[in-house]
Amino acid sequence: MIQAIGLTSASRRGRPPAVDDLTFEARPGHVTMLLGPPGAGKSATLRLMLQLAPGRGVALFRGRPLSRVPHPAREIGVLLGEVAGHPGRTALGHLRMLAAAAGVPASRAEDVLDVVGLSGVADQRLGRLSRGMDRRLGLAAALLGDPHTLVLDEPAQGLSPRENAWLQGLLRGYTGQGGAVLITARGAEETVRFADRVVSIEAGRLVADQAAEDFARARLRPRVAVITPHADRLSAALTRGFRGEERPAGEEPIEVLRESGTRLSVFGSTCAMVGEVAYQHRVVVHQLADEVGPAGDRSPAGPLHRADGRAEQGEARAQAGAASDAATGEAELPPPLPALPPPGPTWPVRYELRRWAGVRTAWWLMAAALLAGLVTALALASSGTRSAERVLTGWADQLPLPPVAIVAGVLGALAFGQEFRFPALVPARVPIPRRLSLLTGKLVVSAAVAFLLCCAAITVNSTSFTLLFGQDVPVDGSWEFALLGTAALSVGCAWAGLLAAGIFRSTLVGFAAVAAVPLALAPALRSLLHGWHGPSLDGLPGRLHALTSLPFPSGVDRWLSATVHLASRPIGWALGLSLAVLLCGYALVSLRNGVR
């Protein structure tokens, strides 16, 4: 049950609100349609109900507003517009990522893909899906959590007649199991095929709330249906006969439409007028009747159950399914989910791993970082450089940061920037809320990726030295010290890019925040510290390193030594200051917008 009570959108600078005091219900077991012309406020109504737009009023889903639904993805399936996913992600990878976020098994993605007829293109990239496939994938995402309610914004828009028939069967099957469906549409002709109840709105206000049968009888466009073996002659005669006729003001013009070989539909006329024209031109008429409702093919080709080129599983199943669909008009639905525990604290990490690994951009960037680091490291070793931190990580003097740290910062900026550009966790193309749990998952995954990237870079470079030079290149310092120092720098860059992109909802700002640390902030701090407090800070690195001589457990002294080494340099100060400012900024923005 959906109850919308007094929905009113926020004022728009002197213009009337897009939705004005709208109240209606969508009952379980029924398809309720919001009908209205473009700009009537249908999409705005759905966004108000889903709390994606500011306004007044309340929308209750089984007696609770959306803010009090503990796991919305498991109770309310939503499709607004196109699928808001990265075009480089596969259909199956996109659904598995959403399954991780909703806390449902990953196998559910295969189930819903098969139901919507896309299992044959599970490895297809989202950017290559057709309009109909995109709509099917959106419905699969809506059905992923086995919800009790579906909210769909013009799901039939752009679909072929056969895909419309399949969608109708799917919705009928869903409501047959007790689900509630709320959809929007523009054309009245499709209403009686989909809806059990029609809520007509115009300029954001309620016009009528009636059963589909009453709507078809009272509001659909009437016409005269004619069946004659001489359809061409009668059509030409009707066109000539009505061409010069003057119509009273406010009446629709007369229109003759050829529906099939022997069928005509005459709009704006009456049976008497059409019969007189047929009699005058001696045209045989087999049927002459008034009609209200959708017209079209009397024997359609049938619903297009699959859009991936695959046949039904087994010829017997195909025949049985076709006969069942023809008899009941219902489609197969995914199996119901068992009672699942609420998503635990690991869901942000599982979601972020699915999101991060599902796009090839990250893998190409890491490969480029390893290759650039290897080439630079070989050049440094050949030139006689002996600093372990420089040689083993490929950090040339001309580079502001090691290649692995630069790529770690780029990956961090992409982690949140792409999230706002392709928001997978919200039902429409709107910015996702800044959840603390989501930020934590991204921080953990980005830090792990940065550390593993540093380990891979040092391993590749050391192995290459042995293979090319026949022995290890002598360096000043240990590889462990170089690894820990570079890893700390890379993790800091990754977090800086991540936090900046999260605050400003922009990948480019994340890139700028990473680049600003060595190029602007570190030089500025160096000048400031040496200019104001130079004498007092001269011995600071030594005093900091003296801390590492204190007794610590095994392994901790190495981490502490690497951290002190990084903190004793201007870039360490700059990175620490940048992270502190970005964390405070993220907290302030999150508190202002409300953390969930």
Side-chain angles (χ1 to χ4, degrees):
M1 166 73 80
I2 305 175
Q3 294 174 299
I5 305 171
L7 292 180
T8 304
S9 59
S11 59
R12 302 179 295 174
R13 296 183 179 179
R15 293 181 295 170
V19 182
D20 189 3
D21 195 21
L22 186 60
T23 299
F24 63 90
E25 290 184 352
R27 296 183 175 275
H30 293 78
V31 177
T32 303
M33 177 174 288
L34 278 178
L35 180 66
K42 305 182 299 296
S43 299
T45 300
L46 299 188
R47 294 169 70 87
L48 279 173
M49 296 174 61
L50 298 171
Q51 299 181 356
L52 298 176
R56 294 174 293 164
V58 63
L60 303 178
F61 299 89
R62 294 209 297 190
R64 296 173 298 175
L66 188 65
S67 58
R68 295 187 180 180
V69 176
H71 310 296
R74 297 188 188 179
E75 301 191 37
I76 305 167
V78 179
L79 173 60
L80 302 180
E82 298 178 353
V83 174
H86 194 288
R89 200 179 305 280
T90 64
L92 182 59
H94 181 77
L95 291 179
R96 284 179 172 173
M97 177 182 65
L98 297 182
V104 301
S107 59
R108 180 72 174 179
E110 287 87 347
D111 294 339
V112 294
L113 269 182
D114 187 59
V115 166
V116 300
L118 291 180
S119 56
V121 293
D123 295 329
Q124 189 88 313
R125 305 289 171 181
L126 298 188
R128 301 183 61 185
L129 296 181
S130 66
R131 174 73 174 181
M133 290 180 179
D134 185 86
R135 279 309 205 201
R136 288 173 180 260
L137 182 63
L139 286 169
L143 294 171
L144 193 62
D146 195 17
H148 58 70
T149 301
L150 288 180
V151 179
L152 313 175
D153 189 13
E154 297 190 7
Q157 183 181 2
L159 300 185
S160 66
R162 296 188 65 194
E163 288 175 322
N164 268 327
W166 166 81
L167 176 61
Q168 178 186 357
L170 180 70
L171 297 183
R172 290 298 177 192
Y174 182 83
T175 56
Q177 296 183 0
V181 178
L182 176 63
I183 64 176
T184 65
R186 302 180 183 182
E189 288 77 9
E190 296 292 331
T191 301
V192 295
R193 296 177 183 170
F194 283 94
D196 299 303
R197 191 160 192 87
V198 183
V199 179
S200 303
I201 62 176
E202 186 172 354
R205 288 181 171 271
L206 181 66
V207 175
D209 188 349
Q210 54 197 159
E213 296 82 2
D214 297 333
F215 172 85
R217 183 173 58 254
R219 303 195 62 228
L220 281 184
R221 188 182 180 189
R223 62 186 175 273
V224 178
V226 185
I227 296 180
T228 173
H230 308 291
D232 290 332
R233 286 178 53 197
L234 182 57
S235 176
L238 290 171
T239 303
R240 289 195 303 268
F242 295 143
R243 183 175 297 167
E245 182 179 349
E246 296 184 2
R247 305 291 293 173
E251 290 191 13
E252 65 174 328
I254 294 176
E255 178 184 0
V256 181
L257 180 64
R258 181 74 173 270
E259 297 283 357
S260 63
T262 61
R263 179 182 173 87
L264 297 177
S265 291
V266 184
F267 298 90
S269 184
T270 63
C271 287
M273 296 173 62
V274 175
E276 289 179 5
V277 173
Y279 176 78
Q280 292 172 3
H281 292 79
R282 299 181 181 276
V283 176
V284 177
V285 175
H286 292 169
Q287 179 181 337
L288 184 64
D290 290 319
E291 280 190 356
V292 175
D297 191 357
R298 294 289 180 170
S299 56
L304 183 64
H305 292 289
R306 305 196 64 86
D308 55 4
R310 288 187 175 182
E312 294 285 344
Q313 297 181 5
E315 192 67 26
R317 175 180 170 181
Q319 296 176 357
S324 174
D325 291 338
T328 63
E330 298 180 0
E332 181 185 3
L333 291 172
L337 284 173
L340 297 174
T346 61
W347 80 262
V349 176
R350 290 188 289 114
Y351 164 78
E352 181 61 18
L353 287 174
R354 293 280 188 185
R355 186 210 62 79
W356 182 87
V359 181
R360 286 180 284 188
T361 303
W363 300 102
W364 285 112
L365 286 173
M366 290 192 298
L370 294 178
L371 180 59
L374 174 60
V375 172
T376 307
L378 292 175
L380 291 175
S382 301
S383 64
T385 303
R386 292 295 177 261
S387 173
E389 187 178 28
R390 296 282 181 175
V391 175
L392 294 180
T393 61
W395 187 1
D397 293 333
Q398 294 79 8
L399 295 177
L401 293 169
V404 289
I406 296 175
V407 171
V410 171
L411 292 177
L414 288 174
F416 235 140
Q418 296 284 34
E419 192 78 69
F420 290 114
R421 185 178 179 187
F422 305 108
L425 293 182
V426 292
R429 291 185 178 275
V430 296
I432 63 171
R434 299 178 176 86
R435 297 186 178 93
L436 180 60
S437 57
L438 183 63
L439 175 64
T440 303
K442 291 182 178 296
L443 291 175
V444 170
V445 173
S446 62
V449 170
F451 181 76
L452 293 177
L453 186 59
C454 292
C455 293
I458 291 180
T459 302
V460 169
N461 294 344
S462 301
T463 305
S464 300
F465 292 157
T466 303
L467 294 176
L468 293 178
F469 299 106
Q471 59 182 355
D472 293 337
V473 176
V475 294
D476 298 333
S478 66
W479 68 268
E480 296 173 333
F481 188 83
L483 170 63
L484 297 178
T486 307
L489 186 60
S490 300
V491 171
C493 290
W495 285 357
L498 175 65
L499 291 170
I503 293 173
F504 296 98
R505 305 183 186 273
S506 172
T507 303
L508 291 178
V509 175
F511 294 164
V514 176
V517 171
L519 298 179
L521 195 55
L525 282 177
R526 184 183 297 110
S527 301
L528 180 66
L529 294 178
H530 284 286
W532 288 4
H533 305 285
S536 62
L537 294 175
D538 287 340
L540 180 61
R543 292 195 296 271
L544 290 176
H545 281 285
L547 295 175
T548 60
S549 62
L550 298 176
F552 288 102
S554 177
V556 176
D557 56 343
R558 299 176 183 175
W559 283 97
L560 182 60
S561 178
T563 304
V564 167
H565 175 70
L566 179 62
S568 64
R569 295 183 297 173
I571 192 171
W573 288 70
L575 187 58
L577 179 61
S578 175
L579 289 177
V581 171
L582 289 174
L583 278 173
C584 294
Y586 191 94
L588 290 175
V589 173
S590 300
L591 290 175
R592 185 186 64 183
N593 296 337
V595 178
R596 289 196 294 170

